[in-house]
Amino acid sequence: MKKVTFYIMQESKNGVEASMPQHHELACKLAGEFYQQGQRVYIHANDESAANQVDEYLWQLDASSFVPHNLQGEGPRNGAPVEIGFQPPRHRYQVLINLHDQTPQFAVNFNQIIDFVPHQDGLKQQARERYKHYRQTGLQLLTVNAE
């Protein structure tokens, strides 16, 4: 059965958001873990700017944590093991990491979906809407507290 895992984000320790949202950093870490497991991952961002930010973050990881990735439309013909975009994917992937504030129409094409519940109220409400949508679609839902 297809499943959706929601990571519930905690308020940052110092009360100030870093240059990149916590859930985007966690998305990059999870993409690396799925890559290590041999899974192909599509990271769906809100827009080109957010996709570029995730791409840049992945390039800044040290060599031992490198995750082969590319922005949508770049890289190898069949896509890298991890692709970042803001349009529907053109290749097949097993895992969707959703950073978009809405549920993508194509989400049902994935075996596993990762989504996030940020601690900010407005973003939390958007996550509730995505959760309801996934539940109405009949997907198995799981919540996990992010560290």
Side-chain angles (χ1 to χ4, degrees):
M1 174 174 234
K2 296 179 180 195
K3 73 176 186 177
V4 182
T5 303
F6 271 88
Y7 284 84
I8 302 171
M9 305 305 296
Q10 308 303 314
E11 188 169 358
S12 62
K13 301 277 189 252
N14 59 11
V16 177
E17 282 298 318
S19 60
M20 184 161 158
Q22 285 179 310
H23 62 293
H24 288 210
E25 288 185 37
L26 179 55
C28 292
K29 179 181 179 236
L30 293 170
E33 290 174 7
F34 286 117
Y35 164 70
Q36 292 295 326
Q37 297 169 12
Q39 305 257 4
R40 289 177 51 83
V41 179
Y42 182 71
I43 301 175
H44 185 58
N46 262 342
D47 53 34
E48 186 174 10
S49 174
N52 286 329
Q53 187 180 32
V54 171
D55 176 59
E56 190 60 37
Y57 182 82
L58 285 170
W59 280 116
Q60 292 175 15
L61 297 176
D62 63 67
S64 65
S65 301
F66 179 71
V67 177
H69 69 281
N70 62 260
L71 287 166
Q72 191 173 34
E74 297 178 355
R77 185 172 189 196
N78 293 324
V82 175
E83 187 170 73
I84 308 152
F86 57 97
Q87 301 289 328
R90 297 182 195 117
H91 306 290
R92 295 197 58 79
Y93 297 92
Q94 289 88 26
V95 180
L96 168 64
I97 297 179
N98 186 38
L99 296 177
H100 201 283
D101 51 17
Q102 295 183 6
T103 307
Q105 293 286 327
F106 55 82
V108 295
N109 298 331
F110 290 81
N111 294 329
Q112 186 166 4
I113 302 165
I114 304 298
D115 210 318
F116 303 90
V117 181
H119 71 275
Q120 299 94 333
D121 288 336
L123 297 177
K124 196 180 290 184
Q125 183 56 41
Q126 292 171 337
R128 286 185 185 113
E129 294 301 318
R130 292 191 306 275
Y131 188 94
K132 282 196 292 191
H133 182 269
Y134 291 129
R135 186 176 61 214
Q136 290 168 348
T137 308
L139 300 174
Q140 178 185 349
L141 296 162
L142 176 68
T143 57
V144 176
N145 286 320
E147 286 121 39

